[in-house]
Amino acid sequence: IHPSLTPQAKLVIGGLSKSLGCSGTFDLTEVYDQLLNNKRRTEGEPRNRLLKSVREILRLVHAFAGAQKQAKQIMEVKFGHIDEVFCRKGVKQLDRMFLDAIGVAGRVMSVEDGIGDYISSRWKYLNWNSYEVGLLFRTRFNELAKFSLALLLTRQVRVSRTLIMRPQINWCERFSILPRAGETLMKDDFVNCLKKVSRSKDFCSDKKILILGSLISGPGHPFTVSQEVELYNEYVDRIIEKHRVAAHQIWYKHHPRITKEVWAYKKCELHCEVYDYSIETIAELEIINPHVLAVYSVGTSALLYAKMIFGKQAYLIDLSSFPRVHPSAHRKYKYLADRYGV
């Protein structure tokens, strides 16, 4: 289970895994927290950037070794020998740490992690996005500089590479829900899983339109919560006119990492129905509701699934021309929406 998920999201994962017949879920968040706490420690930090980097690397290397050892011991006791591992395609240092801890000698396979997996690595060049191109070069330069420093300080090649460099995994097989060249299509398996977990679900006949929320407000995001609500309320008015539905037939589903305080504000201020904060469901289980006519979103893979798999009307809430938005993310969403006919 990814450590940044909320307790409520973890409950949803646990419930779905049980419905699918899994033996259970396993949460190693406390292992990751060791690394996170060491990374965020700022008290008594030197002001010099080089000295600060030296202390951070030495601290992280020590914490990494301890966290990986702990993870390995726990998994050996819990699982024993592991034959196959499925991991998100956009693998990060966190994933690599656990993969190395597993030490799997068997098959390691990738599954898609979200809408970004449908963007080609060449998109930044073919559509020339100067932010993405510049970010790539800055990231690679910083990685090389930090790796060299870590290697000089620790003499540990493997640990330095895992901590600093972007992980490279030799996948035995790649899986995707929508067709992609060189990847195994798992659309039918995906649909069958949704049918399996929805057998006992009562579909609400008064849910006609879904708005799938994203993380676009708050610190580090282009909108305040009130501005986000204002944006969605404008779309509610448009939806009522376009689809000839009532406000109570439009349902907003919050992002699984939203805070309860933000949810409460939206519950009060949005001019449509809002899912309960503790709702134990995922967007796809709501989309397959036969009464749902259309799905709206700022950008999510569920929007593509709604169109390409479930035959629903799908609409992108296009933020690509808004000021202060991410310089590439929403342009990617617009590109995919055009490509898939959303």
Side-chain angles (χ1 to χ4, degrees):
I1 297 180
H2 197 281
S4 67
L5 292 176
T6 63
Q8 182 59 37
K10 293 178 181 181
L11 286 176
V12 173
I13 292 173
L16 290 174
S17 67
K18 185 177 181 180
S19 298
L20 291 170
C22 298
S23 298
T25 55
F26 199 54
D27 189 0
L28 284 174
T29 300
E30 71 276 6
V31 175
Y32 172 70
D33 284 343
Q34 292 184 32
L35 289 175
L36 192 64
N37 291 336
N38 275 276
K39 188 175 183 179
R40 288 181 174 173
R41 190 183 303 165
T42 57
E43 186 177 350
E45 292 286 356
R47 294 185 178 181
N48 183 279
R49 291 186 61 184
L50 178 59
L51 291 178
K52 187 175 181 180
S53 296
V54 168
R55 284 189 62 174
E56 178 183 332
I57 288 172
L58 290 174
R59 191 168 60 228
L60 281 177
V61 168
H62 176 74
F64 176 87
Q68 191 172 64
K69 181 179 179 181
Q70 182 183 0
K72 183 176 182 179
Q73 290 172 342
I74 293 173
M75 286 187 284
E76 284 178 348
V77 172
K78 184 73 175 179
F79 305 115
H81 178 75
I82 297 175
D83 298 303
E84 294 183 338
V85 177
F86 291 83
C87 185
R88 61 176 177 173
K89 190 179 304 178
V91 63
K92 302 286 175 47
Q93 281 84 354
L94 171 64
D95 309 272
R96 183 57 187 263
M97 185 191 82
F98 286 109
L99 287 174
D100 287 349
I102 292 170
V104 62
R107 291 161 54 82
V108 182
M109 291 154 287
S110 71
V111 294
E112 67 178 63
D113 187 35
I115 192 170
D117 289 334
Y118 289 99
I119 289 285
S120 168
S121 59
R122 296 176 294 174
W123 177 86
K124 65 179 73 68
Y125 305 114
L126 296 177
N127 297 272
W128 190 253
N129 187 279
S130 57
Y131 169 81
E132 287 275 325
V133 174
L135 178 64
L136 175 65
F137 282 99
R138 289 194 302 273
T139 300
R140 292 292 183 266
F141 176 81
N142 289 334
E143 283 180 348
L144 183 59
K146 288 186 176 181
F147 171 74
S148 300
L149 182 58
L151 187 60
L152 180 65
L153 291 171
T154 67
R155 308 293 184 183
Q156 299 184 49
V157 178
R158 184 182 61 81
V159 173
S160 299
R161 184 178 64 244
T162 303
L163 269 175
I164 306 299
M165 305 298 286
R166 181 178 295 272
Q168 299 294 325
I169 307 295
N170 293 321
W171 305 111
C172 295
E173 193 170 0
R174 300 170 185 259
F175 294 89
S176 63
I177 295 174
L178 298 179
R180 282 179 60 85
E183 299 187 4
T184 301
L185 185 64
M186 56 181 297
K187 181 184 77 171
D188 291 341
D189 303 277
F190 176 64
V191 172
N192 288 335
C193 285
L194 289 176
K195 289 179 178 178
K196 185 174 182 179
V197 298
S198 64
R199 284 174 184 166
S200 61
K201 186 176 178 64
D202 294 324
F203 290 113
C204 176
S205 61
D206 225 19
K207 288 181 182 177
K208 302 296 184 183
I209 309 295
L210 298 180
I211 300 176
L212 304 180
S214 297
L215 297 175
I216 60 172
S217 64
H221 295 286
F223 299 97
T224 64
V225 179
S226 62
Q227 288 173 332
E228 181 187 10
V229 167
E230 183 180 348
L231 171 71
Y232 283 131
N233 281 337
E234 289 177 4
Y235 268 87
V236 168
D237 293 338
R238 296 183 198 178
I239 289 169
I240 291 173
E241 182 178 352
K242 180 179 180 63
H243 298 281
R244 303 300 180 187
V245 296
H248 71 269
Q249 295 175 313
I250 304 170
W251 286 73
Y252 171 84
K253 186 182 183 304
H254 55 275
H255 190 279
R257 294 204 303 273
I258 194 175
T259 66
K260 194 166 186 177
E261 291 74 21
V262 172
W263 169 84
Y265 180 84
K266 291 181 177 180
K267 175 74 173 176
C268 179
E269 299 296 331
L270 282 172
H271 299 164
C272 63
E273 297 297 318
V274 177
Y275 279 83
D276 289 341
Y277 185 73
S278 59
I279 188 73
E280 294 189 9
T281 188
I282 57 175
E284 290 80 3
L285 282 176
E286 299 304 305
I287 291 172
I288 64 174
N289 182 340
H291 305 288
V292 168
L293 303 174
V295 181
Y296 285 74
S297 176
V298 166
T300 172
S301 53
L303 194 64
L304 303 184
Y305 303 155
K307 169 75 175 181
M308 304 303 296
I309 299 178
F310 306 114
K312 307 286 186 178
Q313 298 177 57
Y315 298 92
L316 177 74
I317 299 176
D318 183 14
L319 302 182
S320 60
S321 60
F322 277 62
R324 303 186 309 280
V325 298
H326 192 279
S328 65
H330 296 286
R331 294 180 185 179
K332 290 179 180 179
Y333 301 153
K334 181 66 167 63
Y335 165 81
L336 286 175
D338 292 341
R339 178 182 172 187
Y340 286 98
V342 171

